[in-house]
Amino acid sequence: MKEAINFLENVYSTNLSAEFSFLEEEEREWLSTELEKLPKIFIGKERRIAIAKELLKAQEFDRFLAAKYPGLKRYGGEGAEGMIPFFMELFEFSAQEGIKEIVAALPHRGRLNLLTGLLDYPPEQIFLRLRGEKDFPDNYYATGDVLSHINASVDLHFGENSVHVTVLKNPSHLEAVNPVSMGKTRAKQMLHKDGDYGEHGRLSDKILNLQVHGDAALMGQGVNQETLNMSHAPHFEVGGSIHMVTNNQIGFTTPPERGRSSQYCTDIAKMIAAPIIHVNGDHPELVLKASRLVFDYQRKFRKDIFLDINCYRQWGHNELDDPSFTNPALYKIIKSKKQFLMHIVNN
Ligand SMILES: Cc1ncc(C[n+]2csc(CCOP(=O)(O)OP(=O)(O)O)c2C)c(N)n1
């Protein structure tokens, strides 16, 4: 009995949980089996150090911008660093799996950290722009845009393997880029003879769609309902998108209970019976394991799946506003929280 209780506590009473009881039997069985294997997955020292370095990089980047450009709206990633191990795992797995390209729709939150940290975006280009100088080469005719719309197109190498990552440009209109990302994914799948377009294989063998959401915007923006509605529709489907939610539990100043009528921001996933993995973002190793599960599910079933990373927002929405004014109780808790990196270093 003791053994059974230990086992169940290790699987079901941790900082990771899943909603999948509404799936079809085969998927349900598969997910519960995989979920029960998670505690046994060992993450080596090398990987742990690599993650800690990336987390430090992300935090230092924010600190540098805050010190040098105090008037800048950067939509920093502080408090949401847990998203970094997700991206690390996803990019590396995709390269190993032989995926040629990831087409990604990203919001503003932590975008600059990801671009400069993992996607080789030259920080000097951001600084040029911030100083009001031209950040395009001389032979380019282009006008600037705000930092939270910057795109990227980069080859990432992992030993012998590589994957191309395309981050789409996006408007300020939250989540509007998601259907665009599906359209672009589908077009690239046609170009590369993926799935139905080729002689054999399955959609997303070569091109993978990634959609990253904010918690308030995911439930609040109707475009997500429309986009999910097309996820299994012939001629529109992309072989299952991977969705990640940077769930900092606030939308500018709006707390969850005022911004939606459902318990979780991911409840919209249930309209297409997509599984949802919730994980506490303060536990990077668990995020890593959750990311692996999400990726494996998408590869096996070629259907949408959601990873909900529960985190917080260290400062105001864009750092220029003071949230202790608008959300005093929440920010009292956040201010008293142990520094995220201290937690990691101590563990
Ligand atoms: C369609 C639309 N409505 C409103 C806004 C203004 N706005 C920008 S960010 C934001 C809050 C978004 O909250 P969330 O999705 O949780 O992301 P977070 O900033 O917390 O990461 C709002 C209301 C917008 N940019 N687009």
Side-chain angles (χ1 to χ4, degrees), residues 25 72 97 280 311 324:
E25 192 178 345
L72 174 70
E97 175 78 8
N280 184 328
C311 53
S324 61

Side-chain angles (χ1 to χ4, degrees), residues 21-262:
S21 59
F22 43 83
L23 299 190
E24 284 164 26
E25 192 178 345
E26 186 198 352
E27 295 178 32
R28 209 170 54 226
E29 293 274 311
W30 183 88
L31 251 168
S32 62
T33 310
E34 295 304 310
L35 196 66
E36 293 188 357
K37 284 185 199 161
L38 288 189
K40 292 225 172 79
I41 294 180
F42 173 73
I43 299 170
K45 194 173 171 190
E46 217 173 290
R47 192 73 180 142
R48 289 160 58 110
I49 291 175
I51 294 167
K53 274 190 181 157
E54 288 304 330
L55 294 171
L56 274 168
K57 247 165 73 181
Q59 229 174 44
E60 277 313 306
F61 181 73
D62 268 326
R63 255 183 231 162
F64 179 81
L65 284 185
K68 281 272 184 194
Y69 305 96
L72 174 70
K73 293 180 182 177
R74 60 194 155 85
Y75 308 102
E78 295 133 305
E81 290 93 340
M83 71 171 109
I84 305 277
F86 161 76
F87 288 118
M88 288 173 76
E89 285 295 281
L90 181 70
F91 297 156
E92 196 162 339
F93 286 153
S94 300
Q96 279 164 8
E97 175 78 8
I99 291 171
K100 279 180 185 296
E101 182 166 346
I102 299 173
V103 177
L106 297 186
H108 49 288
R109 182 70 50 206
R111 187 184 184 100
L112 295 181
N113 308 69
L114 174 67
L115 287 172
T116 54
L118 296 180
L119 297 180
D120 295 339
Y121 193 91
E124 56 271 27
Q125 234 149 292
I126 292 175
F127 305 143
L128 279 173
R129 193 180 284 218
L130 287 174
R131 289 209 297 260
E133 291 171 35
K134 198 164 177 265
D135 58 332
F136 298 106
D138 284 340
N139 57 349
Y140 243 66
Y141 178 73
T143 52
D145 195 356
V146 293
L147 292 175
S148 51
H149 300 170
I150 291 180
N151 64 320
S153 180
V154 62
D155 283 322
L156 300 181
H157 301 281
F158 304 93
E160 309 243 294
N161 308 313
S162 66
V163 62
H164 188 84
V165 180
T166 301
V167 174
L168 296 184
K169 262 195 152 290
N170 54 297
S172 288
H173 200 105
L174 296 168
E175 310 281 327
V177 69
N178 298 334
V180 179
S181 78
M182 278 182 72
K184 180 148 182 162
T185 303
R186 183 83 196 185
K188 293 230 170 193
Q189 288 173 337
M190 185 165 84
L191 210 63
H192 292 283
K193 300 205 178 341
D194 210 348
D196 305 347
Y197 292 115
E199 272 152 32
H200 48 79
R202 299 164 77 195
L203 265 181
S204 96
D205 273 351
K206 297 176 190 161
I207 316 289
L208 177 67
N209 181 248
L210 168 67
Q211 296 176 39
V212 181
H213 313 271
D215 55 310
L218 173 62
M219 208 38 161
Q221 286 301 120
V223 70
N224 286 326
Q225 181 262 325
E226 297 176 32
T227 310
L228 288 176
N229 193 42
M230 304 315 281
S231 68
H232 303 315
H235 311 297
F236 291 92
E237 63 177 317
V238 293
S241 304
I242 291 185
H243 299 262
M244 189 274 268
V245 190
T246 311
N247 183 355
N248 58 18
Q249 306 175 64
I250 191 163
F252 214 137
T253 55
T254 309
E257 67 276 13
R258 293 197 179 199
R260 60 173 187 263
S261 303
S262 63

